[in-house]
Amino acid sequence: MPYPPGGFNDTLARTVAARLQTVWGQPVTVENKPGGGTVIGTDAVAKAAPDGSTLFIMPFAFAVNPSLFKKLPYDPVKDFTPITLAATTPNLLVVGPAVQANSVAEVLAQAKARPGGLNYASTGNGSSNHLSMEKFKQMGGVDIVHVPYKGSGLAVTDLLGGQVGLMFDNIPNVIQHVKAGKLKALAVTSPKRSPHVPDLPTVAEAGIPGYEVSVWFGIAGPGGMPAPIVEKLNAEIVRTLNLPETREKFTALGVDVVGSTPAQFAQHLKEQSAMWAKVVKDAGVTPE
């Protein structure tokens, strides 16, 4: 798990680990290896034996890093075996007490009136919340200053405290603060309104036509895993994701279960890498 504990990537890891341990009677541990924009944990998986004993919670950033870093210690295609696209969720655009805005239009108006006067938090360069805002800035024609953090928990804490003004973040990471009235949600990044927050408009509806970002969570292994092992893992993990208790748990967090085939996940990775390569290039994003 290439992030610290906390956040939905960690929830996914621990949910699947607990189920595999129960079903197969084998100890399954979750090892959090954060740092380097997820490169440290990713590289550890790339160098592991492809025998099915090491799995990877593949984050959204995996598809971004090949465009973000001039050189990676692994090959993003050859060194990994897709197992399943596990789940997706939109990001929410949320504002804290430092920004008095009730809509996307008001955020855009403030940003245009004071270029560089607003700032936003992210969980680091290349993360979904970073690139969601960079795409927002590009399509909205505004300048908002980036303040990167090492994880969502730290970023949300400063957002709540008014040290930063706004951010995009996964629904599971901020929805409780929105419900408690501590953060104000303005829009979702999905192409259609989310059933998890049905009263919120999409960013496209709210002022930036054509805007769309979907955050995804996958599971993979080292490159070269034998097909029978991949098939067995895919079957059991997809079964786990579709259990009523898993679906109920994830739905409560604002996450939609997918549970794809390995081939479908491989195609998804290819499409995501191509799309975000253009955003990274156009925005001039570089590693921290």
Side-chain angles (χ1 to χ4, degrees):
M1 229 293 292
Y3 288 110
F8 185 75
N9 283 288
D10 196 58
T11 299
L12 173 63
R14 295 177 192 282
T15 300
V16 171
R19 173 69 180 179
L20 295 182
Q21 181 165 296
T22 299
V23 172
W24 288 340
Q26 296 286 331
V28 182
T29 59
V30 176
E31 185 177 4
N32 297 90
K33 292 182 76 71
T38 73
V39 171
I40 292 174
T42 304
D43 188 45
V45 176
K47 292 177 170 53
D51 57 6
S53 62
T54 300
L55 301 181
F56 178 37
I57 299 300
M58 184 179 278
F60 172 96
F62 180 85
V64 177
N65 283 344
S67 302
L68 186 65
F69 293 91
K70 291 182 179 179
K71 186 177 181 180
L72 289 170
Y74 54 81
D75 185 306
V77 177
K78 294 179 182 178
D79 289 343
F80 298 90
T81 302
I83 296 173
T84 188
L85 174 61
T88 62
T89 188
N91 274 335
L92 285 185
L93 175 59
V94 290
V95 298
V99 174
Q100 300 303 309
N102 296 305
S103 67
V104 168
E106 290 184 13
V107 170
L108 291 172
Q110 289 184 34
K112 288 177 180 177
R114 296 188 299 126
L118 296 179
N119 60 19
Y120 76 94
S122 84
T123 57
N125 281 17
S127 61
S128 72
N129 36 44
H130 175 214
L131 293 183
S132 290
M133 186 62 81
E134 289 303 315
K135 191 170 185 179
F136 181 90
K137 287 164 57 179
Q138 285 178 19
M139 296 181 71
V142 293
D143 178 20
I144 305 174
V145 177
H146 181 208
V147 183
Y149 290 80
K150 291 184 178 180
S152 178
L154 297 171
V156 171
T157 296
D158 275 7
L159 183 65
L160 291 165
Q163 284 81 15
V164 286
L166 63 159
M167 74 181 294
F168 282 100
D169 205 355
N170 305 168
I171 288 180
N173 298 343
V174 292
I175 191 63
Q176 296 305 320
H177 299 300
V178 171
K179 290 179 177 178
K182 296 178 180 179
L183 295 176
K184 188 179 297 180
L186 304 183
V188 292
T189 63
S190 47
K192 297 180 179 179
R193 293 197 180 201
S194 168
H196 307 294
V197 280
D199 294 334
L200 279 187
T202 66
V203 175
E205 281 182 278
I208 304 183
Y211 183 98
E212 176 189 344
V213 175
S214 179
V215 184
W216 53 268
F217 311 89
I219 298 177
M225 289 176 64
I229 292 178
V230 176
E231 290 168 6
K232 183 175 182 180
L233 284 165
N234 175 269
E236 193 54 57
I237 291 171
V238 170
R239 191 176 296 119
T240 298
L241 294 171
N242 284 308
L243 290 172
E245 57 265 38
T246 304
R247 283 187 168 274
E248 182 179 348
K249 177 181 178 181
F250 288 7
T251 297
L253 293 171
V255 175
D256 298 306
V257 168
V258 179
S260 75
T261 66
Q264 289 169 333
F265 187 26
Q267 181 62 29
H268 176 81
L269 288 172
K270 184 177 179 180
E271 293 169 356
Q272 286 284 298
S273 297
M275 180 182 72
W276 290 112
K278 184 178 187 307
V279 174
V280 168
K281 181 180 178 181
D282 292 348
V285 178
T286 58
E288 296 170 30

